[in-house]
């Protein structure tokens, strides 16, 4: 979850940076560090980290269930519900990054036209 929170913070920081560049008219995607396309890349990284986090959580939970033996189905369902938190958080970050990328790209095209 920490990696996902750092990804979200980076996305917001890059968004603000590019927003200020667009307002000032200094946005040039060819020779700048941290341009709009980086927002999408970090969003993809976030969703992959979310899925990977869920996989690690499920693997650990299944190992614990195997060691414990007989487990009530309610506990299994509760564990599955908790394991989806990282995937949902990563998906939220990805969708936010995608939306920000669409908005900033359209705005930069209007500014350059």
């Amino acid at each position: 979850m920490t990696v996902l929170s750092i990804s979200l913070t980076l996305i917001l920081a890059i968004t603000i940076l590019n927003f200020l560049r667009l307002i000032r008219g200094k946005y040039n995607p060819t020779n700048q560090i941290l341009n709009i396309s980086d927002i999408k890349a970090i969003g993809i990284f976030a969703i992959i980290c979310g899925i990977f986090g869920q996989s690690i959580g499920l693997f650990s939970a299944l190992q614990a269930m195997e060691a414990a033996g007989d487990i009530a189905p309610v506990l299994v369902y509760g564990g599955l519900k908790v394991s989806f938190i990282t995937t949902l958080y990563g998906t939220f970050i990805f969708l936010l990054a995608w939306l920000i990328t669409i908005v900033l790209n359209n705005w930069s095209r209007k500014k350059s036209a």
Side-chain angles (χ1 to χ4, degrees):
M1 291 285 285
T2 304
V3 174
L4 295 175
S5 296
I6 291 170
S7 298
L8 179 61
T9 305
L10 276 172
I11 287 171
L12 294 176
I14 295 170
T15 300
I16 292 169
L17 177 68
N18 284 299
F19 178 75
L20 293 174
R21 287 177 182 165
L22 284 168
I23 287 176
R24 295 178 185 151
K26 297 181 180 180
Y27 181 73
N28 184 3
T30 57
N31 61 356
Q32 281 183 320
I33 298 174
L34 301 176
N35 58 19
I36 295 173
S37 63
D38 294 333
I39 296 170
K40 191 186 306 181
I42 295 171
I44 292 170
F45 175 75
I47 196 167
I48 290 171
C49 282
I51 293 169
F52 185 65
Q54 180 183 11
S55 300
I56 290 172
L58 282 174
F59 183 75
S60 299
L62 291 173
Q63 278 185 329
M65 283 188 260
E66 183 182 27
D70 190 26
I71 302 289
V74 174
L75 291 175
V76 175
Y77 301 143
L80 284 173
K81 183 174 73 172
V82 170
S83 76
F84 276 102
I85 292 173
T86 56
T87 304
L88 290 174
Y89 191 38
T91 304
F92 168 75
I93 294 170
F94 171 72
L95 292 174
L96 181 68
W98 201 266
L99 180 67
I100 289 170
T101 303
I102 290 169
V103 169
L104 288 179
N105 276 331
N106 286 335
W107 191 20
S108 69
R109 286 187 198 115
K110 287 179 184 177
K111 286 274 193 178
S112 65

